[in-house]
Amino acid sequence: MSQDDDNPPTKKISKGINLLHDPLRNYGTAFSEEARDELGLRGLLPPRVFTQAEQVQRVLENFARKPDDLERYIMLNALSSRNENLFYRVVVDNIDKMMPIIYTPTVGQACQEYGHIFRQPRGLFISANDKGNIASILENWPHDDVRVIVLTDGERILGLGDLGANGMGIPVGKLSLYTACAGIHPATTLPITLDVGTNNETLINDPLYIGLKQPRLRGEAYDELVEELITAVQARYPHTLIQFEDFANINAFRLLEKYRDRACTFNDDVQGTASVTLAGLYSALRLTGGQLKDQTILFMGAGEAGIGIGDLIVSAMQEEGLSEAEARANCWFVDSRGLVVKSRTDLAHHKLAYAHEHAPVKDLLTAVESLKPTALIGVSGQAHAFTKEIVGRMAEYNEIPIIFALSNPTSKAECTAEEAYTWTNGRAIFASGSPFDPVEYNGKTYVSGQGNNAYIFPGVGLGVCAVKSHRVTDEMFMVAAKTLAKEVSEKDLDLGRVYPPLQAIRSVSSAIALSVAEVAYQQGLAAVPRPDDLLAYVKSYMYEPTYKKLTIDR
Ligand code: NAD
């Protein structure tokens, strides 16, 4: 059964004013004359019936009139709380314009100011005070068929740090992307924020902060709360995909290891980032020549993103014939204390596999000079860390240097697109986490790629949900990277773009979903009998934000 056969699943249709307050079914001024009579709407709407296209025009007009992106964010949130179909029509048809508003970079600012721009609650808030009652709180969620949950504890929001309960903007935004980019039905998505307190003094002192004003829960008490939540979710929604999002290092790796074989779960900061970055590297190699196994890759940042990318690259190099040790030897990391080397005694567990024999090095420039990497990847959250000198060195050592400044939001990028192109005389292959405008340099226009996880997680989620895979595996992220790289055309590469245009995202997601679903069948994880035409099946699962005929449950 496709999602649209039961659209949205399970909920009864109300009439009259209640229908206008049901965002999943409220079509507003687009309700037909017939529907207005049948559904008790006569008089509750202005007389003229509009098409969805006309409604979109009105939304775009209002969008353009807003003075800044935060206001546009607020406006789109309000639209989504009023009429989800219209919201998704606008987002899907204008994805390159809307994604930077509903997700990074604007969502970062929205999270920072969440308590001040708060209008209406979205998602489910579960706090440290709810211990022992989480299952009953989950019962308060009005939808019985939840297929994707994005869960955060708000401790490492983008590169902005601990934003506590304000982090809710992230699961809400990510789930909007699941729907917009891969057609996961909005009624089947559930954003959850686990409020375990915050160590952010600014928020503690903010009279309008929406979360618990207490230090973060740590240790056993924290683990018990997460355990209770996961258990409750599995009891109410046994087939749900749970995406861990924006947890800090100290919890992210642990929770992933603890739950990945017990639940259908993954961590996007670790695995999704890895996949999108590997795809970008595969595309870049089409321009530089050579194989992945021949690259020396230097990461600035050895956290979730960096180590996640490193691990997937190691697997990919092993596929090309290297041993694990040889592959790891090609990947180097600089963290806040310098190059990750064997002699260091301060290394967290997740960095140890990349601690190679090398003299201690304190800074990135010296590391670049010593290792002469072919690719430099920034995942440190440190703005302007790729200086002119560092980028210049990369251009000295490489005909075509690969420079990915992936830190989000834009304000945290290690360098800008313009800097990367001008400092390398236009030779760099550049990608960033948040979008940059095209750059004119020496008469050529460079369009850099956005290494946005949104190319990966929605498609992976669609594949997993469509075949009801019991688990999310590393092989799925590997195949997703390869599929994404194949979607990059020669024309994209000519422009300097190592990812396909965002406008192609729904077809990219369905291609990724197909390859992920194939892996689920190969690994014996799929619960749905294999359909004859898997691609058609996956596509039939995708929600389209069009208006359908509503009939009342009598
Ligand atoms: P994290 O907190 O797990 O890791 C940050 C790492 O940066 C740590 O290893 C830290 O030691 C290191 N670091 C901090 N200051 C440094 C300095 N001065 N020099 C060198 N290293 C330093 O965070 P994360 O999840 O790995 O994310 C890091 C950044 O990557 C964030 O800005 C995030 O938004 C971004 N990110 C981007 C994408 C994407 O674009 N696709 C995906 C995930 C994360």
Side-chain angles (χ1 to χ4, degrees):
M1 186 182 69
S2 78
Q3 293 201 61
D4 272 2
D5 293 339
D6 181 18
N7 174 27
T10 61
K11 206 173 154 209
K12 297 223 188 313
I13 293 172
S14 42
K15 280 182 74 174
I17 198 76
N18 290 336
L19 178 57
L20 298 186
H21 291 153
D22 174 356
L24 288 163
R25 292 191 174 78
N26 174 26
Y27 303 165
T29 54
F31 276 117
S32 66
E33 299 285 1
E34 191 195 3
R36 291 171 187 219
D37 284 332
E38 200 198 344
L39 301 171
L41 298 170
R42 189 66 63 194
L44 300 180
L45 293 162
R48 207 184 125 199
V49 175
F50 286 83
T51 63
Q52 194 186 49
E54 287 167 329
Q55 291 179 312
V56 169
Q57 187 189 341
R58 183 179 292 119
V59 172
L60 292 178
E61 232 182 81
N62 281 301
F63 183 85
R65 196 177 289 142
K66 294 289 172 192
D68 57 48
D69 285 346
L70 190 62
E71 288 298 327
R72 294 187 183 102
Y73 175 91
I74 294 167
M75 178 205 149
L76 289 176
N77 256 294
L79 173 62
S80 142
S81 302
R82 226 167 37 236
N83 180 339
E84 292 247 47
N85 281 282
L86 184 56
F87 168 78
Y88 282 111
R89 182 80 277 149
V90 168
V91 173
V92 168
D93 293 348
N94 302 275
I95 190 81
D96 48 341
K97 216 191 235 180
M98 298 299 155
M99 202 187 288
I101 308 297
I102 63 173
Y103 207 65
T104 179
T106 310
V107 74
Q109 189 190 354
C111 287
Q112 286 172 313
E113 299 183 33
Y114 217 69
H116 296 262
I117 63 171
F118 184 84
R119 275 30 180 198
Q120 213 180 351
R122 312 264 322 251
L124 205 58
F125 290 90
I126 292 172
S127 87
N129 296 341
D130 297 323
K131 191 158 186 295
N133 297 315
I134 296 181
S136 71
I137 291 174
L138 215 55
E139 289 298 323
N140 292 342
W141 189 250
H143 302 292
D144 291 327
D145 183 4
V146 166
R147 298 170 195 177
V148 186
I149 286 172
V150 175
L151 168 66
T152 190
D153 73 354
E155 188 165 7
R156 200 244 56 196
I157 295 300
L158 304 170
L160 301 169
D162 181 355
L163 296 184
N166 284 4
M168 181 55 106
I170 297 293
V172 168
K174 281 247 154 149
L175 285 164
S176 298
L177 297 184
Y178 269 101
T179 301
C181 303
I184 301 290
H185 197 293
T188 67
T189 66
L190 170 55
I192 301 183
T193 290
L194 193 59
D195 181 0
V196 293
T198 179
N199 296 340
N200 182 330
E201 281 303 313
T202 311
L203 295 181
I204 297 273
N205 295 324
D206 181 347
L208 293 184
Y209 175 56
I210 59 169
L212 295 184
K213 291 193 170 191
Q214 62 185 51
R216 274 188 177 272
L217 217 57
R218 297 283 185 211
E220 242 173 70
Y222 176 90
D223 285 359
E224 281 168 14
L225 201 68
V226 176
E227 175 68 23
E228 187 185 335
L229 174 58
I230 301 290
T231 308
V233 164
Q234 287 188 306
R236 182 161 185 209
Y237 303 119
H239 294 292
T240 299
L241 166 66
I242 305 167
Q243 177 184 320
F244 285 99
E245 182 70 29
D246 284 0
F247 283 75
N249 268 203
I250 42 164
N251 292 316
F253 290 108
R254 271 180 342 100
L255 295 178
L256 180 59
E257 283 319 307
K258 182 168 175 187
Y259 291 108
R260 63 181 305 163
D261 296 325
R262 254 184 63 187
C264 180
T265 188
F266 74 101
N267 181 311
D268 190 51
D269 305 302
V270 180
Q271 296 160 287
T273 309
S275 187
V276 77
T277 308
L278 178 60
L281 287 174
Y282 280 136
S283 303
L285 290 173
R286 283 164 60 186
L287 290 165
T288 61
Q291 283 187 281
L292 188 67
K293 68 182 168 72
D294 305 321
Q295 310 305 309
T296 301
I297 299 169
L298 178 59
F299 293 86
M300 181 180 175
E304 290 158 54
I307 298 296
I309 302 167
D311 286 350
L312 195 64
I313 287 176
V314 166
S315 301
M317 286 181 175
Q318 286 178 269
E319 277 190 1
E320 291 181 359
L322 296 193
S323 67
E324 185 183 331
E326 288 167 334
R328 287 202 192 275
N330 286 340
C331 298
W332 293 81
F333 288 82
V334 168
D335 67 11
S336 55
R337 295 187 182 144
L339 191 62
V340 172
V341 292
K342 255 215 163 96
S343 57
R344 275 179 57 180
T345 53
D346 58 348
L347 293 174
H349 178 75
H350 58 271
K351 303 177 190 176
L352 292 179
Y354 296 97
H356 306 313
E357 287 293 355
H358 194 286
V361 170
K362 278 272 161 271
D363 63 296
L364 183 67
L365 175 63
T366 315
V368 168
E369 287 173 341
S370 171
L371 298 166
K372 302 194 172 46
T374 53
L376 183 60
I377 298 180
V379 273
S380 62
Q382 301 301 306
H384 314 299
F386 294 172
T387 59
K388 188 174 181 185
E389 206 176 357
I390 288 171
V391 173
R393 286 284 187 280
M394 288 296 292
E396 227 175 282
Y397 306 140
N398 301 283
E399 182 60 35
I400 307 179
I402 299 171
I403 296 176
F404 289 178
L406 297 182
S407 288
N408 290 322
T410 320
S411 60
K412 300 283 179 189
E414 283 81 3
C415 69
T416 66
E418 189 169 8
E419 288 166 347
Y421 294 123
T422 53
W423 292 343
T424 60
N425 287 327
R427 285 190 279 125
I429 298 174
F430 178 77
S432 56
S434 299
F436 281 104
D437 287 336
V439 174
E440 300 287 333
Y441 178 72
N442 272 353
K444 188 178 164 183
T445 305
Y446 296 82
V447 182
S448 60
Q450 190 190 351
N452 191 324
N453 297 26
Y455 281 116
I456 297 291
F457 68 80
V460 170
L462 176 62
V464 165
C465 288
V467 303
K468 290 198 162 66
S469 178
H470 300 301
R471 298 285 177 268
V472 191
T473 63
D474 287 337
E475 289 75 10
M476 292 175 180
F477 288 99
M478 177 71 87
V479 82
K482 289 178 183 168
T483 307
L484 174 57
K486 279 193 205 125
E487 297 285 321
V488 180
S489 68
E490 290 303 317
K491 192 176 145 225
D492 294 326
L493 292 177
D494 282 348
L495 288 167
R497 185 163 61 196
V498 290
Y499 296 103
L502 274 178
Q503 290 88 337
I505 194 102
R506 278 173 82 95
S507 82
V508 169
S509 292
S510 57
I512 290 176
L514 173 66
S515 61
V516 165
E518 291 281 10
V519 172
Y521 284 110
Q522 283 157 19
Q523 297 187 315
L525 295 169
V528 170
R530 195 192 159 96
D532 292 336
D533 185 342
L534 190 52
L535 179 60
Y537 171 72
V538 162
K539 284 187 171 169
S540 76
Y541 200 88
M542 293 172 77
Y543 152 85
E544 275 290 335
T546 48
Y547 293 150
K548 292 147 196 103
K549 186 169 165 39
L550 296 181
T551 44
I552 320 163
D553 263 14
R554 291 178 202 278

